[in-house]
Amino acid sequence: QVQIVESGGGLVQPGGTLKLSCKASGRIFSINEMAWYRQSPEKEREWVASITSSSRTSYAESVKGRATIFRDNARKTVSLQMHNVIPEDTAVYYCFVHDGPSGGGTDYWGKGAVVTVSS
């Protein structure tokens, strides 16, 4: 059984910093891509940032320059920090983990962490 558990988030003031972490555990053997997605009310889930097993990163335009994604392969964790948050960053943030090769393997999702940007 695999568990993907997010932590962090909560209430963040506009202009502040959002910090999220995610840990994978259980029968997960060869983590490939790790990523963060988010979903705002009445919107579809959107990709935020991702990082490969070799730590190559990519970001959505909406967060580029404000967000940093990083991972610890030994601890099977991925984290997201976002500076200068705005109300539009309010969403449920989901951790995504791909175990196995790019053309196969298994995708896992966390249950989500709520982030509210408000004063």
Side-chain angles (χ1 to χ4, degrees), residues 26-73:
R27 295 181 61 80
I28 188 162
F29 302 108
S30 181
I31 297 177
N32 193 333
E33 180 182 352
M34 306 181 86
W36 288 94
Y37 286 73
R38 68 186 182 185
Q39 186 167 15
S40 304
E42 301 181 355
K43 292 186 179 180
E44 293 186 355
R45 188 174 298 188
E46 64 173 359
W47 168 72
V48 176
S50 58
I51 184 167
T52 68
S53 56
S54 58
S55 294
R56 187 175 71 247
T57 61
S58 53
Y59 299 93
E61 285 297 322
S62 59
V63 304
K64 192 174 292 184
R66 300 189 295 128
T68 302
I69 186 171
F70 52 97
R71 64 191 281 172
D72 185 325
N73 290 330

Side-chain angles (χ1 to χ4, degrees), residues 12-18 82-87 117:
V12 185
Q13 289 194 343
T17 298
L18 178 163
M82 191 183 307
H83 302 283
N84 298 321
V85 296
I86 57 178
V117 180

Side-chain angles (χ1 to χ4, degrees), residues 2-6 22 35-38 45-46 94-97 107-112:
V2 173
Q3 288 189 319
I4 308 295
V5 180
E6 301 99 337
C22 169
W36 288 94
Y37 286 73
R38 68 186 182 185
R45 188 174 298 188
E46 64 173 359
Y94 296 91
C95 179
F96 167 86
V97 174
D107 294 337
Y108 298 100
W109 292 90
K111 293 183 178 180

